[in-house]
Amino acid sequence: QKEVEQDPGPLSVPEGAIVSLNCTYSNSAFQYFMWYRQYSRKGPELLMYTYSSGNKEDGRFTAQVDKSSKYISLFIRDSQPSDSATYLCAMSAPRGSTLGRLYFGRGTQLTVWP
Amino acid sequence: DSGVTQTPKHLITATGQRVTLRCSPRSGDLSVYWYQQSLDQGLQFLIQYYNGEERAKGNILERFSAQQFPDLHSELNLSSLELGDSALYFCASSGRGFGGNTIYFGEGSWLTVV
C-alpha cells in the first residue's frame, strides 16, 4: 500500500463547477499537508498548505484535513478553464530523517471546459 | 518563478551513458531535494542535502549519486542509463525553518534515454 493514495482521474467539469479533490494516507506521523498544482509537466507550484487538522481558505480554494480519518481534500469554487492542471497532494512528517521529505499522491488531472 | 534553477531543461542521451543535472537553490535556502517524476510512478523522492551533507535518502538507485557544494548548488549524477530512467527530474529547495510551505520546486530537467 502506498503511503499516499490519490485518484488520478481524469476529472472533467464545466466552468463554474465546484471541484473536490481528495487524498488518503496511512502514516499517522504526517503533520504537514500540501496541495500542489502542476501544468503540463512544469514544476509543481504550491497552492495550499495546512498544518495538522482543520480548514484553510485562500480565495476560491479551500483545503481540509481530517487526521482522524487520514483524509485531506481540496475544494475549488467557481472553477475556471485556467484551473485545468494536475493537482498533487503532498505530506510530510515534522521531524527526524524524514524532515522536509514530501510524500506525493499520483496527482489528479483536472480539465475545466468553458 | 520559484527561484530554483535547473539545467539542462531537456536532455537526450543513449543507454549506458552518464549525465549530470544541476540545481541552484533559492537564495539562502540550505536544503536541496531531488525528485523523479515518471508516468507510472508519480513524484518520487530521491535524496536530500542540507548545507552540504546528505540528510535523507529515498528511492535512489545505486547508479545515481548526488552532492551539494559549498556554494549550495547541487548536482545529480545518473550513470549507466537505462530506458526506464527517462523521466522529469525536479530539484526543490527549502529554508532553515521548514514548515511545508517553504519548499519550492524548479522547472525540472527532462531526461530522455534512447
Side-chain angles (χ1 to χ4, degrees):
Chain A
Q1 180 192 9
K2 285 178 69 69
E3 291 195 75
V4 181
E5 298 281 357
Q6 182 177 10
D7 185 342
L11 187 60
S12 182
V13 301
E15 183 175 355
I18 296 175
V19 176
S20 173
L21 305 167
N22 311 292
C23 288
T24 59
Y25 64 96
S26 57
N27 189 342
S28 58
F30 289 149
Q31 293 281 358
Y32 297 95
F33 304 93
M34 289 136 279
W35 286 95
Y36 283 83
R37 178 173 62 194
Q38 187 177 28
Y39 291 114
S40 303
R41 308 294 273 178
K42 297 285 191 181
E45 170 196 7
L46 182 65
L47 266 183
M48 299 286 287
Y49 153 74
T50 308
Y51 173 69
S52 194
S53 283
N55 295 355
K56 188 171 185 177
E57 189 173 317
D58 184 3
R60 297 185 294 112
F61 298 89
T62 299
Q64 290 185 351
V65 174
D66 182 349
K67 291 191 67 182
S68 63
S69 302
K70 297 189 176 67
Y71 187 89
I72 72 170
S73 302
L74 177 70
F75 297 95
I76 307 174
R77 291 182 299 280
D78 187 25
S79 56
Q80 303 295 310
S82 58
D83 295 328
S84 298
T86 297
Y87 290 80
L88 301 149
C89 63
M91 310 177 187
S92 182
R95 59 174 56 86
S97 63
T98 60
L99 178 66
R101 170 181 177 173
L102 299 181
Y103 295 81
F104 281 88
R106 290 289 304 274
T108 300
Q109 185 179 347
L110 171 67
T111 300
V112 181
W113 43 275
Chain B
D1 183 3
S2 68
V4 179
T5 304
Q6 289 188 247
T7 57
K9 289 187 175 4
H10 300 276
L11 191 57
I12 301 175
T13 190
T15 54
Q17 294 300 304
R18 172 190 170 94
V19 298
T20 296
L21 309 180
R22 182 189 167 99
C23 169
S24 293
R26 295 173 72 238
S27 177
D29 282 359
L30 299 178
S31 278
V32 168
Y33 313 82
W34 286 97
Y35 285 82
Q36 179 194 55
Q37 187 175 39
S38 58
L39 283 175
D40 57 340
Q41 292 292 324
L43 261 167
Q44 298 284 316
F45 170 76
L46 294 178
I47 198 164
Q48 176 197 355
Y49 278 83
Y50 178 82
N51 202 21
E53 294 190 3
E54 183 182 303
R55 177 62 67 91
K57 231 173 188 177
N59 303 322
I60 188 167
L61 299 171
E62 287 191 9
R63 300 183 286 109
F64 296 179
S65 64
Q67 54 184 327
Q68 186 179 26
F69 295 87
D71 67 352
L72 301 178
H73 91 272
S74 178
E75 292 180 355
L76 179 66
N77 301 295
L78 315 174
S79 61
S80 303
L81 285 167
E82 302 174 359
L83 295 177
D85 298 327
S86 296
L88 256 174
Y89 291 85
F90 288 107
C91 172
S93 73
S94 69
R96 188 187 306 272
F98 168 71
N101 60 337
T102 59
I103 291 186
Y104 296 91
F105 282 78
E107 289 298 297
S109 291
W110 199 325
L111 173 66
T112 302
V113 182
V114 298

